[in-house]
Amino acid sequence: MPSSYNLTDLTTLLDAQLLGDGECIISGIGDAATATAGQITFISNKKYLPQLDTSAASAVLLAAPLDNCAVVNQLIVADPYLAYAKLTLIFDNRPKTPALIHPAAVVDPSAKLGEGVRIAAGCVVEAGAEVGDHTELCAGAVVGPNAKLGQHCLLHANATIAHHCVLGNRVKVHSGTTVGSDGFGYAPSRDEGWVKIHQLGRVVIGDDVEVGANCAIDRGAIKDTIIADGVIIDNLVHIAHNVTIGKRTAIAGCVGIAGSTEVGAGCTMGGFVAINGHLKIADNVHFNGGTVVTKSIAEAGHYASGSPMQDVRSWRRNMVRLSQLDEWVGRIKKLEDQQ
Amino acid sequence: MPSSYNLTDLTTLLDAQLLGDGECIISGIGDAATATAGQITFISNKKYLPQLDTSAASAVLLAAPLDNCAVVNQLIVADPYLAYAKLTLIFDNRPKTPALIHPAAVVDPSAKLGEGVRIAAGCVVEAGAEVGDHTELCAGAVVGPNAKLGQHCLLHANATIAHHCVLGNRVKVHSGTTVGSDGFGYAPSRDEGWVKIHQLGRVVIGDDVEVGANCAIDRGAIKDTIIADGVIIDNLVHIAHNVTIGKRTAIAGCVGIAGSTEVGAGCTMGGFVAINGHLKIADNVHFNGGTVVTKSIAEAGHYASGSPMQDVRSWRRNMVRLSQLDEWVGRIKKLEDQQ
Amino acid sequence: MPSSYNLTDLTTLLDAQLLGDGECIISGIGDAATATAGQITFISNKKYLPQLDTSAASAVLLAAPLDNCAVVNQLIVADPYLAYAKLTLIFDNRPKTPALIHPAAVVDPSAKLGEGVRIAAGCVVEAGAEVGDHTELCAGAVVGPNAKLGQHCLLHANATIAHHCVLGNRVKVHSGTTVGSDGFGYAPSRDEGWVKIHQLGRVVIGDDVEVGANCAIDRGAIKDTIIADGVIIDNLVHIAHNVTIGKRTAIAGCVGIAGSTEVGAGCTMGGFVAINGHLKIADNVHFNGGTVVTKSIAEAGHYASGSPMQDVRSWRRNMVRLSQLDEWVGRIKKLEDQQ
């Protein structure tokens, strides 16, 4: 892609309406407050409108024309935040891996590579694996035996896809992440200790999924672990064996979901949400960060757990009382009886 | 291994008693509910027995013969779940790394490799390292200088064993995991900031240990970090320097154990358990998921912390009260004084 | 470095005062309780002084001379713990990567390497990257396109630095860690689902920073994610896009910091601290392990959240009451009204 565009071009690319100078050249995106000349900015929330008064941006994405605005070039769009997202693709600066198999990559002769596949140095594609058209593997990525990647996928450096796992199209996996590690399954034996249950299932990921850095998604024990289309997952997320995640669910960093839990579609989880195993979470359930989920949830809604942050002294005093709470409730009841 | 067995063979392999047709061919394992013809299933909990009524499985592992069962071929074993675990080894579908040193692996000339070692492309075995007989390194695994792996170990792709660390026999380490990262040790200095304490100890792991994906186990500061025989560790677990973990303790995902804590044998930890440093946890202590452990525990038993999940509105109201709890207890006391 | 020193040499190296035999040979460091002959130990806290009574150590670092001490050779220093830290550098046993580019490393012709750079087998240095003088890359480390590492940096095995990210001098990054993964940014779209906001910023890390194993530090969305000089970060820490961390802040394991939060200088965070996005944390704020931070903090001090660990039965009873707490407070108020 070119590194700069004039506003007429951007107007077309974003399906916008242009107020101002179509010849103005834009070479990047900036925050309203810190953008420099030649950059375009956006306002997705009215409370940030005052930032435009002093903005040096050469153009702005807005939901409606703004009179007397310091930024005279305005691109009017239905959803400025969505238009900004599309703009980031236009100005994406990530250097792509060249469209060839680097001589220092190792591709097993039995692997099948699609057209336009990009494989960087240090990658390993094992026997029987399939890599779809235009998929890109950055340095050190490993595609295990018989794994299958769709088209236009992107494995960042040092990502690992284990044997037999399946990625749909346009799946992105960030560095350090493991797709297809063994689930944590053992049979206890007095004589032999924990006897490993070899994990025979796969991880099957749909289309348009993104998995952040240093996540671990376990393969199923017998059946598969399933991540549906459009799911987005942040960093350091643990998804155990046989979990299923419904379409377009969004999972923030440091979340852990224990085995066999079924999460619905359209859910959101803040950071550090911890979900027990064998639960069923309905569609459109939203968890605050840090929620510990120990029961199934049948109804859409917002849920939370966790205790409030305080200065250490107040917190200690309150926590002593919390550890006696049932007793204090008993004393309230006794007082009530005495009325 | 062959990909299918007749029931007579499986009966022998599992030390079972066969009811039914010994010639019946089994080519895989299925859930009772979804198994197809040619698969064997298992019932380890009576509540799942009704699933057999409609199961298409060709055989079932049971603790006792079941009359009038839709699945007529029954293998009677003392512990169906344990027998299922053993069956998963028989039907394990993970393609093994070929029994040779891949030409695109790098093994330092001073490293010692045992018999039947398997080293995939992209692996690096550094100077002075030892890899025991029949140990397998998947693509991109790194064995640091002077590290020592026992026999029949398995490093999954992109696992890292740092210098001087020791793994016993039959140790499995999953992708992305680091054994032997530096402990978090620094001396504060007004002039120089945090002055690093170089970590001179090792990680020493016993036999039959499994470590999940994307874990970090730090080397000791002076002495070693010790993981005893038979310990099992799930994904994204952090074990700090000088920690010791007793035999057969099981640690679920996202657990963190701070420095110098000693965990006993036979303990279990649910996900997200957080244990402070310099504590001593007795044998056979069981922590619910999410328990924050700030004190040593001298007695076996079940422990927990954390607050209940609620809808966000109820939770907010209760949390306001929790942050005032000591004050409300004072008001209860005052009411009692007034009686 | 040599593997042993006499006490006269160590006295000079540590700027100490020697009481005892300068010819005594020291070949390692030991704990006071378990040190053997030939080792030096240290006492940084008076409560451990009794350990010297039975110590076999050949010398000890002390803040003041100790009469009648079983360890007769004493090095008197202003800060024994700091002197111990410096001693660990002297006795550091990590085998360094040889000072050359391993033939099985891949360095793009357009990358710039400083003097004395050490690059192990399996490393990949991508186009346009810069690696400063005396920086060391252990096996399998990846330096992405246009990334820039300062002098005397150390990337442990399988660490990943993504494109355009910048590391200052003397930065250490442990195995499995990702610097520069994409921030978790998406625009919701009814028609298209989560539309990715490509992350155009960098991670910029100052001097003398150490990042533990299996961390993920996201690049900024538009501006950069900033880690200031002297920051230390333990394992499995998640730092989201556009976060800024002030000088010499220390972050323990399993912490997560959400997007755009500004953390001050000189802060400390215990393990599992979770900080919401878009907050501002003042300098010298200290969080207990497990604190969930949902509000900005303007004042230095100690803060905590979380609930106390108990045996499971007591905990369950108290938690039932906690989920009714607002109701019980109402009953206290009613009782007060009836007085």
Side-chain angles (χ1 to χ4, degrees), chain B residues 160 176 186 190 192-194 196 198 200 214-215 218 223 238 302 304-306 310 317-318 321 331, chain C residues 31 81 86 88 93 158 174 210 214 235 248 307 309-310 312 315 319 323 325-326 329 333 336 339:
Chain B
T160 303
Y186 303 85
R190 188 175 295 244
E192 303 169 63
W194 297 104
K196 180 173 178 68
H198 293 263
L200 311 179
N214 287 4
C215 295
D218 283 345
K223 294 192 285 186
H238 163 55
H302 272 80
S305 68
Q310 299 190 280
R317 275 198 303 267
N318 287 321
R321 298 317 187 185
R331 287 163 77 163
Chain C
D31 270 351
Y81 197 61
K86 295 185 173 184
T88 62
N93 61 3
N158 283 329
H174 281 272
E210 184 156 11
N214 287 2
N235 300 331
R248 296 191 182 181
S307 59
M309 185 185 72
Q310 300 189 280
V312 162
W315 170 75
M319 289 308 120
S323 68
L325 189 56
D326 191 55
V329 163
K333 286 183 189 167
E336 289 174 333
Q339 283 309 109

Side-chain angles (χ1 to χ4, degrees), chain B residues 105-120:
Chain B
V106 177
V107 178
D108 188 274
S110 67
K112 289 182 193 156
L113 304 186
E115 288 184 18
V117 162
R118 300 159 185 266
I119 302 187

Side-chain angles (χ1 to χ4, degrees), chain A residues 81-82 85 172 174 208-212 230-234 250, chain C residues 182-189 193-199 241:
Chain A
Y81 197 61
L82 182 58
K172 294 180 171 72
H174 282 272
D208 301 300
V209 169
E210 183 156 12
V211 184
V231 167
I232 53 175
I233 299 175
D234 198 355
Chain C
D182 281 352
F184 195 59
Y186 304 85
S189 158
W194 297 105
V195 175
K196 180 174 177 68
I197 297 170
H198 293 263
Q199 304 286 301
H241 55 180

